[in-house]
Amino acid sequence: MDIDELKENISDFTREKPVLFAAIVLIVLLFLAGLVILMIQTTPEKKQPVQEAQKFEQDEPVLIPDSPDIEKEYYPTRITENQWSKEEVNRWFTFPEDETMTELEKANDKIVKDIVDAAP
């Protein structure tokens, strides 16, 4: 079969049955689109190289980001003292008010009463 003859047969077919030709072209295009989508969906994911964790040293300095939420005088430390100094107690610790302590005592008494009442 010659190429010119094939072109002539296709042009005759498209003139005689244009709806059927359009349907065949549409089916072929949908098949190719589905094949491309299937190939994209089934390709394996690229494995990313595993990064080893950095060794953490306790004595390294703490990196504090600049932020308005962090007070400039307060920094977390990795090595803490066992007790607060008197200055730290006066600066950071506030004693609760009597009303707050009374409310806490009532709440604790209620919890104890519920536990004791539930005991056989």
Side-chain angles (χ1 to χ4, degrees):
M1 197 182 240
D2 206 14
I3 292 180
D4 291 332
E5 187 178 330
L6 182 64
K7 287 180 184 178
E8 189 177 314
N9 287 341
I10 291 174
S11 65
D12 289 343
F13 181 75
T14 57
R15 272 188 254 122
E16 291 174 9
K17 301 178 182 175
V19 175
L20 183 61
F21 178 73
I24 291 172
V25 169
L26 182 65
I27 289 172
V28 169
L29 290 176
L30 288 175
F31 175 76
L32 291 175
L35 189 63
V36 168
I37 291 172
L38 182 65
M39 289 175 61
I40 291 172
Q41 292 284 334
T42 57
T43 54
E45 292 183 17
K46 295 179 182 177
K47 294 182 180 178
Q48 297 196 4
V50 178
Q51 294 180 347
E52 292 184 25
Q54 295 178 347
K55 187 174 181 179
F56 177 73
E57 295 292 331
Q58 186 176 6
D59 295 333
E60 291 180 3
V62 179
L63 299 176
I64 308 266
D66 287 333
S67 172
D69 298 338
I70 298 175
E71 293 183 26
K72 297 299 179 197
E73 299 173 5
Y74 176 76
Y75 295 104
T77 59
R78 291 191 171 103
I79 300 172
T80 58
E81 299 294 328
N82 290 337
Q83 290 184 335
W84 283 5
S85 67
K86 293 286 184 185
E87 295 168 357
E88 289 175 322
V89 170
N90 292 335
R91 182 170 184 190
W92 298 109
F93 186 75
T94 57
F95 288 95
E97 297 174 355
D98 290 336
E99 294 174 11
T100 307
M101 291 301 291
T102 306
E103 290 176 17
L104 181 62
E105 184 180 359
K106 286 179 184 177
N108 286 339
D109 288 344
K110 183 180 182 312
I111 292 172
V112 170
K113 185 179 181 304
D114 290 343
I115 292 172
V116 170
D117 289 346

